[in-house]
Amino acid sequence: MAILKVAQLGHPILRKVARDLTPDEIRSTEVRQLVQDMLETMTEYGGVGLAAPQVHHSVRIALVEIESDNPRYQIGEDDAVPVTVLFNARVTVLDDAPFGFWEGCLSVHGLRGYVERPSKVRVDYLDHDAKPQVIEAEGFPAVVLQHELDHLDGVLYVDKLVDSKQFAFVDEFARYHAE
Ligand code: ZN
């Protein structure tokens, strides 16, 4: 187990399109170890998600874990999602009505910005046994999934800011923008 270094905005790996893993790779000891380290890293920094490019691996692995007592975000109990590890995930929009949220990112340290995304999505992915799985999500969990899966395509939330005036350091966000 290890806490991994998180790549910060400006590091080229965050802008690369990550590659799919083969089923054999997904089941390999190396990938299982990477996933364990990613989980430990996400927990250490209080993230609700983490994608492999953020820890310098350009492969399509993303984690999501939304706990209702997360220190970084105000989260309702209905929005809790248990630890989910997604390999080779693809998003399909089910409802493109915009849902807005002040997003943060462990790779854009200390900042929050207002982004709107489709409110409901389906995600097709492989689990740790390389078996196909599907999840549907709405509202905040849909934000988190789309944010993490964007990382696999080299996209960051700062690319999707609705208005650059709704972009702030965490302290100023809490003081002037939080509801
Ligand atoms: Zn992020």
Side-chain angles (χ1 to χ4, degrees), residues 14 49-51 54 72 103-108 147-148 151 155-157:
L14 295 172
L50 188 69
Q54 294 183 272
R72 278 166 56 91
E103 298 189 19
C105 180
L106 297 182
S107 294
V108 187
H147 174 121
E148 296 314 325
H151 276 299
V155 175
L156 301 172
Y157 84 80

